[in-house]
Amino acid sequence: MQASINQLIGDNQGNTSSVGAAGSGSSSDNVGGGYLISEIYKRGLAGLFGRDLQASSTGYSLVKRALANSTTGYSWYGVPVGLGLPLPGNYSGFAGTLAEENIPASNAFMTGFLWFLILITLIAASVVLFKGVLEGLSVIKVLKQDRLTFFRTHWLGFTAVAILRTLFIGFFMMVFLTLFQFTYKGSAGVTAIAAIVFIIYFIGLLGIAAYACYYRMRGGRYAKTHDRVYLERTKAFGLVPWYGFTRESNRSEKSDPKPSIGSLPWWKITHTADEPQYMEVHQDEDFTKKFGWLSARFRRTRWWFFTAWLVYEFVRACFYGGAAGEPLVQVFGLLVVEFIALVTIVMMKPFEGARLNALMVYMLGFSKVATLALSAAFDHRFNLPRIIATAI
């Protein structure tokens, strides 16, 4: 796969220094730690140990190297660093992560894009294969004719929904890879493909999400009403004493509300349907058939949260991909974004099921904030001692 991508990219392998990693065949001064990394890979030691060292016998013995082949003359040791790969010992950023697998940063987008297309193809083929297996079992009388009739009748719709759900799950990955390609500024052909994919995702998926909200709420009236937010004593995971926010409108629905230690004035927007028999979102078969791949796994009152989730994932992708060469902007910008997202999601609890909320809201959200807060100390500007860095 990498050889095929290299043929598409050609000689324009880009420069890894643009994304914060010291690259081969280019000037990488002050990249990845504030030192001149080119001095480390020179044969002369004057830049490291002083001008007079090379004239001494000790300096000459350090500089002098035995020939790799005494009969044919000097040839270098090891293998040269490939274009698009960072220099050894400076695996900074996403380019350094890719270098561990010998994938150039210039190939990152096409590698992820091709594997994503393979995944979509496999998922679509699996649904079609399952349909074929069912029909075969029905022909040989192993499966009754009326079993799984709805799926066997609407298998094309199930295939389309499976593909759309995969696109929804891969939103962050593909937007991140496209923005990383824009930041890296590699081959013009690959950048054009990344631009097309970005437009499809940004306009297509966000447009579908906006239309889904409009389709659901296109009828009725909206009104702003007063509400209050209470700070309640609760327990995280059923054991740890904790505090949580609850709106007064939700407290009134509980038979035994938890004690609160304070409250603040708040507001909410209510929707009044024109139709008297207005169904809940999970009971609306028409909406579920069209947009169930978006609203699945969200609570009845938070069915629209997929729009907020897409915006959140897009902002994260902008920091990861667009600010690939600015580590401080990445870590502190993401720290603010993840903290706001954690507080918001804790208050709203949008996911169905207690275990899913515990995983997505508390465990995953807290781990993101903690990881970013600890990672901020690793920047070379803070000059953190190695022992402390190892402990972190």
Side-chain angles (χ1 to χ4, degrees):
M1 178 181 288
Q2 298 306 314
S4 301
I5 296 175
N6 288 334
Q7 292 179 0
L8 173 65
I9 293 175
D11 297 331
N12 188 3
Q13 295 286 337
N15 185 1
T16 57
S17 61
S18 62
V19 290
S24 61
S26 60
S27 177
S28 303
D29 296 347
N30 299 321
V31 172
Y35 50 81
L36 301 178
I37 197 168
S38 60
E39 295 292 339
I40 297 178
Y41 293 96
K42 285 183 177 180
R43 294 189 66 198
L45 298 180
L48 294 177
F49 299 103
R51 183 174 298 174
D52 298 332
L53 177 61
Q54 199 166 0
S56 64
S57 59
T58 304
Y60 180 75
S61 62
L62 288 173
V63 175
K64 183 180 178 181
R65 299 179 64 182
L67 294 177
N69 190 323
S70 58
T71 58
T72 60
Y74 172 77
S75 62
W76 59 60
Y77 293 82
V79 294
V81 177
L83 293 176
L85 293 174
L87 292 175
N90 187 253
Y91 292 148
S92 302
F94 185 53
T97 303
L98 295 171
E100 297 287 350
E101 299 296 331
N102 292 322
I103 300 176
S106 57
N107 297 16
F109 166 72
M110 287 303 301
T111 302
F113 181 56
L114 290 177
W115 277 113
F116 192 60
L117 291 179
I118 293 173
L119 175 63
I120 292 176
T121 304
L122 290 176
I123 290 175
S126 299
V127 179
V128 175
L129 180 62
F130 184 58
K131 154 72 173 175
V133 170
L134 292 179
E135 295 298 336
L137 294 176
S138 177
V139 169
I140 62 176
K141 307 301 182 180
V142 175
L143 186 70
K144 294 182 179 180
Q145 290 288 341
D146 57 347
R147 293 296 176 90
L148 298 175
T149 305
F150 188 82
F151 170 77
R152 291 161 61 186
T153 306
H154 302 85
W155 64 276
L156 287 176
F158 276 92
T159 305
V161 167
I163 294 174
L164 290 172
R165 184 67 177 179
T166 306
L167 293 174
F168 175 68
I169 295 173
F171 178 81
F172 167 77
M173 182 196 74
M174 293 309 304
V175 173
F176 158 64
L177 289 176
T178 54
L179 292 176
F180 181 82
Q181 181 65 35
F182 299 154
T183 304
Y184 190 73
K185 300 176 182 178
S187 171
V190 176
T191 304
I193 297 175
I196 295 173
V197 174
F198 178 81
I199 292 173
I200 292 174
Y201 258 98
F202 183 74
I203 297 179
L205 205 55
L206 288 177
I208 293 175
Y211 178 72
C213 294
Y214 166 77
Y215 187 84
R216 173 64 183 170
M217 301 184 299
R218 63 187 183 276
R221 300 183 303 275
Y222 298 90
K224 179 182 177 182
T225 59
H226 295 286
D227 204 347
R228 296 191 70 84
V229 173
Y230 288 85
L231 182 61
E232 296 181 343
R233 293 187 180 93
T234 183
K235 290 185 179 181
F237 308 108
L239 299 173
V240 182
W242 198 252
Y243 291 92
F245 294 95
T246 304
R247 292 189 302 178
E248 184 178 18
S249 55
N250 294 334
R251 283 170 57 92
S252 61
E253 299 176 359
K254 300 178 181 179
S255 58
D256 186 17
K258 298 177 182 178
S260 65
I261 62 175
S263 65
L264 293 172
W266 200 249
W267 53 270
K268 70 174 182 177
I269 297 177
T270 58
H271 173 257
T272 304
D274 293 335
E275 302 176 3
Q277 301 296 329
Y278 188 74
M279 294 181 293
E280 298 293 345
V281 64
H282 294 298
Q283 298 174 350
D284 190 345
E285 294 185 5
D286 180 61
F287 181 84
T288 301
K289 288 179 181 178
K290 290 182 173 67
F291 306 106
W293 56 276
L294 284 173
S295 60
R297 307 304 298 170
F298 291 112
R299 288 169 52 195
R300 173 181 56 84
T301 57
R302 301 288 186 267
W303 62 268
W304 49 265
F305 196 78
F306 55 81
T307 56
W309 187 260
L310 287 175
V311 173
Y312 161 68
E313 295 282 42
F314 178 75
V315 174
R316 290 180 64 228
C318 289
F319 277 103
Y320 278 110
E326 302 293 336
L328 283 183
V329 175
Q330 274 189 324
V331 69
F332 286 108
L334 285 169
L335 184 60
V336 174
V337 171
E338 295 294 356
F339 181 77
I340 294 175
L342 176 62
V343 174
T344 304
I345 296 177
V346 165
M347 292 178 60
M348 300 187 67
K349 294 183 178 63
F351 301 100
E352 285 184 327
R355 287 178 293 181
L356 187 59
N357 271 302
L359 176 64
M360 296 295 295
V361 177
Y362 295 104
M363 298 177 64
L364 187 59
F366 179 77
S367 65
K368 289 180 181 179
V369 174
T371 302
L372 287 167
L374 295 175
S375 299
F378 293 141
D379 192 270
H380 67 88
R381 296 175 181 85
F382 301 129
N383 197 22
L384 193 68
R386 294 188 176 186
I387 296 178
I388 299 177
T390 303
I392 294 177

